[in-house]
Amino acid sequence: MSEPDAARPDSSAPQKKIFIKTYGCQMNVYDSGRMADVMAPEGYVDASSPEEADVVILNTCHIRERAADKVYSELGRLRDLKAEKAARGEGLIVGVAGCVAQAEGAEMQRRAPVVDIVVGPQSYHHLPGLVARAGNGSGVIETEFPVEDKFASLPAPEKRRTLARGPTAFLTIQEGCDKFCTFCVVPYTRGSEFSRPVARIADEARALADAGVREITLLGQNVNAYHGEDAKGRSASLGALIRELAAIDGLERLRYTTSHPRDMDEELIAAHAEVGKLMPYLHLPVQSGSDRILDLMNRQHTVEFYLDIIGRVRAARPDVALSSDFIVGFPGETEADFEATLALIREVRFAQAYSFKYSPRPGTPAATRDGQLPEEVKTERLHRLQTLLNEQQQSFNEACAGRKLPVLFDRRGREPGQLVGRSPYLQSVHLDQAPAHFFGEIAEVEIEQGFANSLRGRLAESEAAFG
């Protein structure tokens, strides 16, 4: 007699609903999907809003500025909602997951008594048991780093109801970081580097492809430090994993993020040249163009080292689009240090970039360092930095006009009949009056115009003939 499908709870049981609000990075998007997966066997389905939910989980991120403040503001609204539900004789369990939960711990329940569950990013696979305990009236905190592999505790890929919700998907292959940059909380909230075995990643990727996913983005806090075990028990690099996944039928595109310059090895650079399914786009954070600031950040690389990597990647894949992260106003940053960052940007020329004012993170070495800069200085430098980066991004987009690019259409636009997709360079491409059946497909698009943040085009003649 076969076992019942764990993803299909007894239909006669009362339907329970869970609402998960996701903050921050793509890894949190992936984690939120897995939380929904582990709750499905307990009879939980998605709620469209906190008001209709029995359980609300805030999956938090500690990277962005004022991240904790945003969470506490949301908890204030949930406190009022919980009181309203209680007045109607209804219950509501409130949980906080992710990196803010990991960092705040018991302090979070002290500041916000509405919180029933505090669970770190390494323990979300314990969520069903934590919800059950909270339902019995006891607050629960679980922010330890468990010994067991949380990924091994997830339902099999084919039984995950949130496995795929479109033609693109995220797939976490690596977590944690051993670099200990002085501004970063990741080693403290996500722990040391851990890589999933190649076989398990490949199984999940095949299930995604079978579910209609055409493009997968491989995720990790330090994704190119990947060193998962292969079929022969050896340590496989990210380059080797990419070659393995590229052989999966139905999977047309691969990307990865976020990388560290120290881990851009020759095998990965060669994959950019040799694996057609690996998109010509590289997000490689540098943070600063000043060697002095890089040293204070404990980035473990110099500007020369970074530029050498960029040169080797461009030699391997001349059409690669480059993206990066920048922090301005790091403690002790002088005007000369900042000008060095602008010089680096002018030399590399980025197709896209993310930039932030330095914001102290409690518990990190930089938070207590002398030389904290005034807010107005950081704001002014960020404006100058972003002006240059925006000019480069617009220039890159405008240079695409007249080119034909393969576009994967993964969402519907705001206008009737409009589809929006991604170019190989991760640009949004808008196509008006697109055939509906192109959704989820890759089609050749002739780019007519490039804007600051997107492209607009029309179907190439070869595609239009079959539209």
Side-chain angles (χ1 to χ4, degrees), residues 149-178:
D149 174 4
K150 70 178 180 182
F151 296 103
S153 303
L154 296 175
E158 65 275 10
K159 293 186 177 181
R160 297 183 195 170
R161 63 186 180 86
T162 63
L163 183 69
R165 290 180 170 172
T168 63
F170 297 125
L171 201 171
T172 294
I173 65 167
Q174 181 271 345
E175 280 199 313
C177 184
D178 296 341

Side-chain angles (χ1 to χ4, degrees), residues 409-421 429-436 438-439 451 454-457:
F409 293 104
D410 60 351
R411 57 201 186 279
R412 291 173 173 82
R414 297 178 180 177
E415 304 297 327
Q418 186 183 68
L419 287 179
V420 184
V429 182
H430 295 258
L431 182 68
D432 295 329
Q433 303 303 316
F438 272 49
F439 180 80
F451 303 99
S454 65
L455 308 176
R456 183 177 297 279

Side-chain angles (χ1 to χ4, degrees), residues 247-278:
I248 295 175
D249 290 338
L251 185 58
E252 300 296 333
R253 291 179 165 188
L254 289 167
R255 303 182 188 273
Y256 63 90
T257 195
T258 291
S259 305
H260 193 286
R262 294 291 305 180
D263 295 306
M264 284 297 300
D265 61 25
E266 290 302 325
E267 192 169 13
L268 182 55
I269 293 173
H272 278 276
E274 299 165 4
V275 180
K277 291 183 179 182
L278 180 59

Side-chain angles (χ1 to χ4, degrees), residues 387-401:
T387 297
L388 177 58
L389 289 171
N390 290 341
E391 287 173 357
Q392 291 190 355
Q393 180 172 319
Q394 180 150 357
S395 177
F396 181 82
N397 289 347
E398 289 175 349
C400 291

